[in-house]
Amino acid sequence: MKEKGSNQGVAVKPHKKPLGKVIRDNKVLMLMCLPAVLFFIVFAYCPMPGVYIAFTNYNFRDGIFGSPFVGFKNFEFLIKSGQLWLLTKNTILYNLAFIILGNILQIMLAIMVNEIRCTWFKKVSQTIMFLPYFISAVLIGVLAFNILNFDTGALNTLIRETGGNPIKIYSMAGIWPFIILLCNIWQQTGYGSIVYFASICGIDSQIIEAAEVDGATSWQRIIYIILPSLKPTFIILMLFALGGIMKGNFGLFYNLVGPSNSQLFPATDIIETFVFRTMMNQNNFATSSAVGLYQSMFGLILVMFSNWVVKKIDPDYALF
């Protein structure tokens, strides 16, 4: 028989600490987080009122909030251009290819580096892999031009020397998605593998040693230990990347294709390059802000939806 006033069978809510005590108890961690918090406040939250520019006929004299309000008129620029679907499709498909193929290759590269047993060779390999990331898009465009151009490019020079007919690559729109994808992977894969390599280093070494004692091969350790351990990192990086799926790599596209090669635009034009060409001599901040808002809202909706899907499948891997 239960005693009167007994708490048996009643769920007791855990006592919630006051915010001030939580901060005092974790002051070292709070100080470590402070630079990141300040960064996002200054560069992400403080500029947010500037979104209002997208709904005004902005001019310098009246400022952001004094300029005439025009509603959604600035968004008509993309719609009336007749290229909204093409630009959106190109931007999304390129970024999907960059994200999916890039992450897969980064995982493969991190695993291969981890399997190297010679310490000095591993360090040299990592250094060489990081170098392309620090090469500017301008230089990549120059290198590509010197290899691919019709008159003096290395590729066509080799074809001529072997008796073949040179190829007009800068007139072949169909091949350029592969060229752009190859250049992006070459530049980003080595640097992007750092996160996965760090995740591999964080795996409990006792698990791997136990697998080795039990006779597991390197391939079995990769399949059954390393890859499952990388799953949370892969999902989180994918969710973060999806937020910027509408933000194209302007520098890479602009320097590889150029501003005036209209033959390649159907296959290579993204939102950033189109807006740059159209707005280059107009200084139209309002229209540019409208395009940026369109990209950000699309990315926000996609991240929210993707996070909802991940939460339904496995809540532990969701961002929030």
PDB file of all heavy atoms in Angstrom, residues 227-256:
ATOM      1  N   LEU A 227      33.753   3.716 -41.564  1.00  0.00           N
ATOM      2  CA  LEU A 227      32.628   4.335 -42.278  1.00  0.00           C
ATOM      3  C   LEU A 227      31.412   4.595 -41.379  1.00  0.00           C
ATOM      4  O   LEU A 227      30.838   5.691 -41.429  1.00  0.00           O
ATOM      5  CB  LEU A 227      32.240   3.481 -43.484  1.00  0.00           C
ATOM      6  CG  LEU A 227      33.204   3.539 -44.686  1.00  0.00           C
ATOM      7  CD1 LEU A 227      32.721   2.634 -45.809  1.00  0.00           C
ATOM      8  CD2 LEU A 227      33.364   4.970 -45.190  1.00  0.00           C
ATOM      9  N   PRO A 228      30.989   3.641 -40.526  1.00  0.00           N
ATOM     10  CA  PRO A 228      29.881   3.960 -39.611  1.00  0.00           C
ATOM     11  C   PRO A 228      30.204   5.106 -38.653  1.00  0.00           C
ATOM     12  O   PRO A 228      29.320   5.884 -38.291  1.00  0.00           O
ATOM     13  CB  PRO A 228      29.675   2.647 -38.843  1.00  0.00           C
ATOM     14  CG  PRO A 228      30.178   1.593 -39.761  1.00  0.00           C
ATOM     15  CD  PRO A 228      31.343   2.209 -40.476  1.00  0.00           C
ATOM     16  N   SER A 229      31.484   5.220 -38.265  1.00  0.00           N
ATOM     17  CA  SER A 229      31.878   6.312 -37.357  1.00  0.00           C
ATOM     18  C   SER A 229      31.845   7.673 -38.050  1.00  0.00           C
ATOM     19  O   SER A 229      31.700   8.703 -37.389  1.00  0.00           O
ATOM     20  CB  SER A 229      33.289   6.055 -36.820  1.00  0.00           C
ATOM     21  OG  SER A 229      33.341   4.842 -36.101  1.00  0.00           O
ATOM     22  N   LEU A 230      31.988   7.674 -39.392  1.00  0.00           N
ATOM     23  CA  LEU A 230      31.962   8.927 -40.153  1.00  0.00           C
ATOM     24  C   LEU A 230      30.546   9.365 -40.523  1.00  0.00           C
ATOM     25  O   LEU A 230      30.363  10.472 -41.037  1.00  0.00           O
ATOM     26  CB  LEU A 230      32.793   8.781 -41.431  1.00  0.00           C
ATOM     27  CG  LEU A 230      34.299   8.601 -41.263  1.00  0.00           C
ATOM     28  CD1 LEU A 230      34.961   8.428 -42.621  1.00  0.00           C
ATOM     29  CD2 LEU A 230      34.913   9.781 -40.531  1.00  0.00           C
ATOM     30  N   LYS A 231      29.570   8.526 -40.273  1.00  0.00           N
ATOM     31  CA  LYS A 231      28.189   8.836 -40.679  1.00  0.00           C
ATOM     32  C   LYS A 231      27.670  10.142 -40.069  1.00  0.00           C
ATOM     33  O   LYS A 231      27.116  10.981 -40.789  1.00  0.00           O
ATOM     34  CB  LYS A 231      27.271   7.660 -40.309  1.00  0.00           C
ATOM     35  CG  LYS A 231      25.831   7.841 -40.749  1.00  0.00           C
ATOM     36  CD  LYS A 231      24.988   6.644 -40.332  1.00  0.00           C
ATOM     37  CE  LYS A 231      23.517   6.874 -40.659  1.00  0.00           C
ATOM     38  NZ  LYS A 231      22.680   5.732 -40.200  1.00  0.00           N
ATOM     39  N   PRO A 232      27.826  10.373 -38.746  1.00  0.00           N
ATOM     40  CA  PRO A 232      27.329  11.651 -38.188  1.00  0.00           C
ATOM     41  C   PRO A 232      27.997  12.870 -38.816  1.00  0.00           C
ATOM     42  O   PRO A 232      27.326  13.863 -39.114  1.00  0.00           O
ATOM     43  CB  PRO A 232      27.678  11.547 -36.691  1.00  0.00           C
ATOM     44  CG  PRO A 232      27.866  10.101 -36.433  1.00  0.00           C
ATOM     45  CD  PRO A 232      28.388   9.512 -37.692  1.00  0.00           C
ATOM     46  N   THR A 233      29.312  12.794 -39.034  1.00  0.00           N
ATOM     47  CA  THR A 233      30.039  13.913 -39.652  1.00  0.00           C
ATOM     48  C   THR A 233      29.533  14.169 -41.057  1.00  0.00           C
ATOM     49  O   THR A 233      29.318  15.323 -41.459  1.00  0.00           O
ATOM     50  CB  THR A 233      31.555  13.611 -39.693  1.00  0.00           C
ATOM     51  OG1 THR A 233      32.003  13.291 -38.382  1.00  0.00           O
ATOM     52  CG2 THR A 233      32.331  14.802 -40.217  1.00  0.00           C
ATOM     53  N   PHE A 234      29.315  13.106 -41.814  1.00  0.00           N
ATOM     54  CA  PHE A 234      28.825  13.224 -43.193  1.00  0.00           C
ATOM     55  C   PHE A 234      27.455  13.903 -43.229  1.00  0.00           C
ATOM     56  O   PHE A 234      27.225  14.818 -44.029  1.00  0.00           O
ATOM     57  CB  PHE A 234      28.760  11.835 -43.821  1.00  0.00           C
ATOM     58  CG  PHE A 234      28.166  11.817 -45.200  1.00  0.00           C
ATOM     59  CD1 PHE A 234      28.917  12.222 -46.293  1.00  0.00           C
ATOM     60  CD2 PHE A 234      26.859  11.404 -45.407  1.00  0.00           C
ATOM     61  CE1 PHE A 234      28.370  12.212 -47.577  1.00  0.00           C
ATOM     62  CE2 PHE A 234      26.305  11.390 -46.678  1.00  0.00           C
ATOM     63  CZ  PHE A 234      27.067  11.798 -47.757  1.00  0.00           C
ATOM     64  N   ILE A 235      26.556  13.487 -42.356  1.00  0.00           N
ATOM     65  CA  ILE A 235      25.188  14.044 -42.354  1.00  0.00           C
ATOM     66  C   ILE A 235      25.211  15.518 -41.969  1.00  0.00           C
ATOM     67  O   ILE A 235      24.551  16.354 -42.602  1.00  0.00           O
ATOM     68  CB  ILE A 235      24.278  13.240 -41.406  1.00  0.00           C
ATOM     69  CG1 ILE A 235      24.068  11.831 -41.967  1.00  0.00           C
ATOM     70  CG2 ILE A 235      22.936  13.942 -41.212  1.00  0.00           C
ATOM     71  CD1 ILE A 235      23.304  10.903 -41.045  1.00  0.00           C
ATOM     72  N   ILE A 236      25.981  15.861 -40.936  1.00  0.00           N
ATOM     73  CA  ILE A 236      26.040  17.260 -40.489  1.00  0.00           C
ATOM     74  C   ILE A 236      26.626  18.155 -41.570  1.00  0.00           C
ATOM     75  O   ILE A 236      26.113  19.246 -41.856  1.00  0.00           O
ATOM     76  CB  ILE A 236      26.856  17.363 -39.175  1.00  0.00           C
ATOM     77  CG1 ILE A 236      26.076  16.738 -38.026  1.00  0.00           C
ATOM     78  CG2 ILE A 236      27.182  18.822 -38.851  1.00  0.00           C
ATOM     79  CD1 ILE A 236      26.856  16.582 -36.746  1.00  0.00           C
ATOM     80  N   LEU A 237      27.710  17.707 -42.210  1.00  0.00           N
ATOM     81  CA  LEU A 237      28.326  18.500 -43.282  1.00  0.00           C
ATOM     82  C   LEU A 237      27.379  18.645 -44.472  1.00  0.00           C
ATOM     83  O   LEU A 237      27.338  19.700 -45.117  1.00  0.00           O
ATOM     84  CB  LEU A 237      29.640  17.861 -43.725  1.00  0.00           C
ATOM     85  CG  LEU A 237      30.809  17.938 -42.744  1.00  0.00           C
ATOM     86  CD1 LEU A 237      32.031  17.226 -43.302  1.00  0.00           C
ATOM     87  CD2 LEU A 237      31.157  19.388 -42.415  1.00  0.00           C
ATOM     88  N   MET A 238      26.610  17.597 -44.761  1.00  0.00           N
ATOM     89  CA  MET A 238      25.640  17.667 -45.854  1.00  0.00           C
ATOM     90  C   MET A 238      24.556  18.694 -45.544  1.00  0.00           C
ATOM     91  O   MET A 238      24.170  19.490 -46.404  1.00  0.00           O
ATOM     92  CB  MET A 238      25.006  16.286 -46.078  1.00  0.00           C
ATOM     93  CG  MET A 238      25.905  15.289 -46.760  1.00  0.00           C
ATOM     94  SD  MET A 238      26.156  15.630 -48.515  1.00  0.00           S
ATOM     95  CE  MET A 238      24.579  15.161 -49.184  1.00  0.00           C
ATOM     96  N   LEU A 239      24.062  18.705 -44.305  1.00  0.00           N
ATOM     97  CA  LEU A 239      23.015  19.650 -43.927  1.00  0.00           C
ATOM     98  C   LEU A 239      23.534  21.084 -43.989  1.00  0.00           C
ATOM     99  O   LEU A 239      22.825  21.989 -44.446  1.00  0.00           O
ATOM    100  CB  LEU A 239      22.497  19.337 -42.513  1.00  0.00           C
ATOM    101  CG  LEU A 239      21.642  18.076 -42.376  1.00  0.00           C
ATOM    102  CD1 LEU A 239      21.330  17.791 -40.913  1.00  0.00           C
ATOM    103  CD2 LEU A 239      20.352  18.214 -43.162  1.00  0.00           C
ATOM    104  N   PHE A 240      24.756  21.287 -43.524  1.00  0.00           N
ATOM    105  CA  PHE A 240      25.346  22.628 -43.606  1.00  0.00           C
ATOM    106  C   PHE A 240      25.498  23.067 -45.060  1.00  0.00           C
ATOM    107  O   PHE A 240      25.222  24.210 -45.414  1.00  0.00           O
ATOM    108  CB  PHE A 240      26.718  22.650 -42.925  1.00  0.00           C
ATOM    109  CG  PHE A 240      26.656  22.746 -41.432  1.00  0.00           C
ATOM    110  CD1 PHE A 240      27.552  22.055 -40.636  1.00  0.00           C
ATOM    111  CD2 PHE A 240      25.701  23.531 -40.812  1.00  0.00           C
ATOM    112  CE1 PHE A 240      27.497  22.139 -39.256  1.00  0.00           C
ATOM    113  CE2 PHE A 240      25.635  23.624 -39.428  1.00  0.00           C
ATOM    114  CZ  PHE A 240      26.532  22.925 -38.646  1.00  0.00           C
ATOM    115  N   ALA A 241      25.966  22.136 -45.908  1.00  0.00           N
ATOM    116  CA  ALA A 241      26.194  22.472 -47.313  1.00  0.00           C
ATOM    117  C   ALA A 241      24.893  22.773 -48.044  1.00  0.00           C
ATOM    118  O   ALA A 241      24.854  23.627 -48.933  1.00  0.00           O
ATOM    119  CB  ALA A 241      26.933  21.329 -48.002  1.00  0.00           C
ATOM    120  N   LEU A 242      23.802  22.104 -47.670  1.00  0.00           N
ATOM    121  CA  LEU A 242      22.516  22.326 -48.335  1.00  0.00           C
ATOM    122  C   LEU A 242      22.008  23.750 -48.124  1.00  0.00           C
ATOM    123  O   LEU A 242      21.270  24.279 -48.946  1.00  0.00           O
ATOM    124  CB  LEU A 242      21.479  21.318 -47.830  1.00  0.00           C
ATOM    125  CG  LEU A 242      21.642  19.885 -48.338  1.00  0.00           C
ATOM    126  CD1 LEU A 242      20.641  18.966 -47.654  1.00  0.00           C
ATOM    127  CD2 LEU A 242      21.472  19.814 -49.850  1.00  0.00           C
ATOM    128  N   GLY A 243      22.420  24.374 -47.005  1.00  0.00           N
ATOM    129  CA  GLY A 243      22.011  25.759 -46.756  1.00  0.00           C
ATOM    130  C   GLY A 243      22.556  26.726 -47.793  1.00  0.00           C
ATOM    131  O   GLY A 243      21.964  27.780 -48.033  1.00  0.00           O
ATOM    132  N   GLY A 244      23.673  26.380 -48.413  1.00  0.00           N
ATOM    133  CA  GLY A 244      24.265  27.250 -49.430  1.00  0.00           C
ATOM    134  C   GLY A 244      24.146  26.684 -50.823  1.00  0.00           C
ATOM    135  O   GLY A 244      24.940  27.040 -51.699  1.00  0.00           O
ATOM    136  N   ILE A 245      23.145  25.824 -51.035  1.00  0.00           N
ATOM    137  CA  ILE A 245      23.023  25.155 -52.333  1.00  0.00           C
ATOM    138  C   ILE A 245      22.651  26.124 -53.447  1.00  0.00           C
ATOM    139  O   ILE A 245      22.868  25.861 -54.618  1.00  0.00           O
ATOM    140  CB  ILE A 245      21.994  24.008 -52.251  1.00  0.00           C
ATOM    141  CG1 ILE A 245      22.216  23.028 -53.410  1.00  0.00           C
ATOM    142  CG2 ILE A 245      20.563  24.542 -52.234  1.00  0.00           C
ATOM    143  CD1 ILE A 245      21.467  21.730 -53.271  1.00  0.00           C
ATOM    144  N   MET A 246      22.103  27.292 -53.081  1.00  0.00           N
ATOM    145  CA  MET A 246      21.758  28.291 -54.091  1.00  0.00           C
ATOM    146  C   MET A 246      22.864  29.327 -54.272  1.00  0.00           C
ATOM    147  O   MET A 246      22.724  30.254 -55.061  1.00  0.00           O
ATOM    148  CB  MET A 246      20.452  28.990 -53.711  1.00  0.00           C
ATOM    149  CG  MET A 246      19.220  28.137 -53.931  1.00  0.00           C
ATOM    150  SD  MET A 246      18.864  27.860 -55.660  1.00  0.00           S
ATOM    151  CE  MET A 246      18.245  29.460 -56.125  1.00  0.00           C
ATOM    152  N   LYS A 247      23.944  29.185 -53.510  1.00  0.00           N
ATOM    153  CA  LYS A 247      25.070  30.115 -53.626  1.00  0.00           C
ATOM    154  C   LYS A 247      26.147  29.485 -54.497  1.00  0.00           C
ATOM    155  O   LYS A 247      26.795  28.516 -54.089  1.00  0.00           O
ATOM    156  CB  LYS A 247      25.654  30.433 -52.240  1.00  0.00           C
ATOM    157  CG  LYS A 247      24.631  30.936 -51.233  1.00  0.00           C
ATOM    158  CD  LYS A 247      24.248  32.370 -51.486  1.00  0.00           C
ATOM    159  CE  LYS A 247      23.344  32.893 -50.376  1.00  0.00           C
ATOM    160  NZ  LYS A 247      22.928  34.270 -50.598  1.00  0.00           N
ATOM    161  N   GLY A 248      26.304  29.989 -55.700  1.00  0.00           N
ATOM    162  CA  GLY A 248      27.282  29.414 -56.615  1.00  0.00           C
ATOM    163  C   GLY A 248      28.691  29.925 -56.364  1.00  0.00           C
ATOM    164  O   GLY A 248      28.887  30.975 -55.741  1.00  0.00           O
ATOM    165  N   ASN A 249      29.660  29.168 -56.831  1.00  0.00           N
ATOM    166  CA  ASN A 249      31.075  29.555 -56.728  1.00  0.00           C
ATOM    167  C   ASN A 249      31.387  30.525 -57.864  1.00  0.00           C
ATOM    168  O   ASN A 249      31.882  30.130 -58.927  1.00  0.00           O
ATOM    169  CB  ASN A 249      31.962  28.315 -56.787  1.00  0.00           C
ATOM    170  CG  ASN A 249      33.410  28.617 -56.475  1.00  0.00           C
ATOM    171  OD1 ASN A 249      33.855  29.763 -56.539  1.00  0.00           O
ATOM    172  ND2 ASN A 249      34.159  27.582 -56.140  1.00  0.00           N
ATOM    173  N   PHE A 250      31.074  31.815 -57.648  1.00  0.00           N
ATOM    174  CA  PHE A 250      31.197  32.809 -58.713  1.00  0.00           C
ATOM    175  C   PHE A 250      32.602  32.860 -59.301  1.00  0.00           C
ATOM    176  O   PHE A 250      32.787  32.888 -60.522  1.00  0.00           O
ATOM    177  CB  PHE A 250      30.811  34.197 -58.182  1.00  0.00           C
ATOM    178  CG  PHE A 250      31.122  35.306 -59.139  1.00  0.00           C
ATOM    179  CD1 PHE A 250      30.305  35.561 -60.230  1.00  0.00           C
ATOM    180  CD2 PHE A 250      32.245  36.115 -58.957  1.00  0.00           C
ATOM    181  CE1 PHE A 250      30.589  36.577 -61.121  1.00  0.00           C
ATOM    182  CE2 PHE A 250      32.539  37.130 -59.844  1.00  0.00           C
ATOM    183  CZ  PHE A 250      31.709  37.369 -60.923  1.00  0.00           C
ATOM    184  N   GLY A 251      33.620  32.877 -58.447  1.00  0.00           N
ATOM    185  CA  GLY A 251      34.998  33.001 -58.915  1.00  0.00           C
ATOM    186  C   GLY A 251      35.387  31.898 -59.868  1.00  0.00           C
ATOM    187  O   GLY A 251      36.004  32.145 -60.917  1.00  0.00           O
ATOM    188  N   LEU A 252      35.024  30.658 -59.541  1.00  0.00           N
ATOM    189  CA  LEU A 252      35.382  29.523 -60.381  1.00  0.00           C
ATOM    190  C   LEU A 252      34.672  29.590 -61.736  1.00  0.00           C
ATOM    191  O   LEU A 252      35.300  29.454 -62.784  1.00  0.00           O
ATOM    192  CB  LEU A 252      35.017  28.216 -59.667  1.00  0.00           C
ATOM    193  CG  LEU A 252      35.396  26.930 -60.395  1.00  0.00           C
ATOM    194  CD1 LEU A 252      36.905  26.787 -60.478  1.00  0.00           C
ATOM    195  CD2 LEU A 252      34.789  25.723 -59.689  1.00  0.00           C
ATOM    196  N   PHE A 253      33.362  29.828 -61.733  1.00  0.00           N
ATOM    197  CA  PHE A 253      32.590  29.857 -62.976  1.00  0.00           C
ATOM    198  C   PHE A 253      33.009  31.032 -63.861  1.00  0.00           C
ATOM    199  O   PHE A 253      33.174  30.882 -65.075  1.00  0.00           O
ATOM    200  CB  PHE A 253      31.088  29.952 -62.667  1.00  0.00           C
ATOM    201  CG  PHE A 253      30.472  28.652 -62.251  1.00  0.00           C
ATOM    202  CD1 PHE A 253      30.606  28.182 -60.955  1.00  0.00           C
ATOM    203  CD2 PHE A 253      29.772  27.888 -63.161  1.00  0.00           C
ATOM    204  CE1 PHE A 253      30.044  26.983 -60.569  1.00  0.00           C
ATOM    205  CE2 PHE A 253      29.195  26.682 -62.792  1.00  0.00           C
ATOM    206  CZ  PHE A 253      29.331  26.230 -61.490  1.00  0.00           C
ATOM    207  N   TYR A 254      33.178  32.192 -63.245  1.00  0.00           N
ATOM    208  CA  TYR A 254      33.499  33.390 -64.018  1.00  0.00           C
ATOM    209  C   TYR A 254      34.868  33.268 -64.671  1.00  0.00           C
ATOM    210  O   TYR A 254      35.053  33.625 -65.841  1.00  0.00           O
ATOM    211  CB  TYR A 254      33.451  34.617 -63.113  1.00  0.00           C
ATOM    212  CG  TYR A 254      33.696  35.922 -63.828  1.00  0.00           C
ATOM    213  CD1 TYR A 254      32.685  36.541 -64.560  1.00  0.00           C
ATOM    214  CD2 TYR A 254      34.945  36.534 -63.769  1.00  0.00           C
ATOM    215  CE1 TYR A 254      32.907  37.736 -65.213  1.00  0.00           C
ATOM    216  CE2 TYR A 254      35.182  37.731 -64.426  1.00  0.00           C
ATOM    217  CZ  TYR A 254      34.156  38.327 -65.142  1.00  0.00           C
ATOM    218  OH  TYR A 254      34.382  39.518 -65.809  1.00  0.00           O
ATOM    219  N   ASN A 255      35.836  32.757 -63.943  1.00  0.00           N
ATOM    220  CA  ASN A 255      37.196  32.688 -64.483  1.00  0.00           C
ATOM    221  C   ASN A 255      37.395  31.531 -65.450  1.00  0.00           C
ATOM    222  O   ASN A 255      38.265  31.597 -66.326  1.00  0.00           O
ATOM    223  CB  ASN A 255      38.203  32.580 -63.333  1.00  0.00           C
ATOM    224  CG  ASN A 255      38.382  33.890 -62.608  1.00  0.00           C
ATOM    225  OD1 ASN A 255      38.984  34.818 -63.112  1.00  0.00           O
ATOM    226  ND2 ASN A 255      37.814  33.980 -61.397  1.00  0.00           N
ATOM    227  N   LEU A 256      36.616  30.475 -65.323  1.00  0.00           N
ATOM    228  CA  LEU A 256      36.735  29.365 -66.261  1.00  0.00           C
ATOM    229  C   LEU A 256      36.018  29.657 -67.581  1.00  0.00           C
ATOM    230  O   LEU A 256      36.549  29.402 -68.654  1.00  0.00           O
ATOM    231  CB  LEU A 256      36.158  28.082 -65.645  1.00  0.00           C
ATOM    232  CG  LEU A 256      37.052  27.314 -64.669  1.00  0.00           C
ATOM    233  CD1 LEU A 256      36.291  26.141 -64.071  1.00  0.00           C
ATOM    234  CD2 LEU A 256      38.317  26.813 -65.353  1.00  0.00           C
TER     235      LEU A 256
END
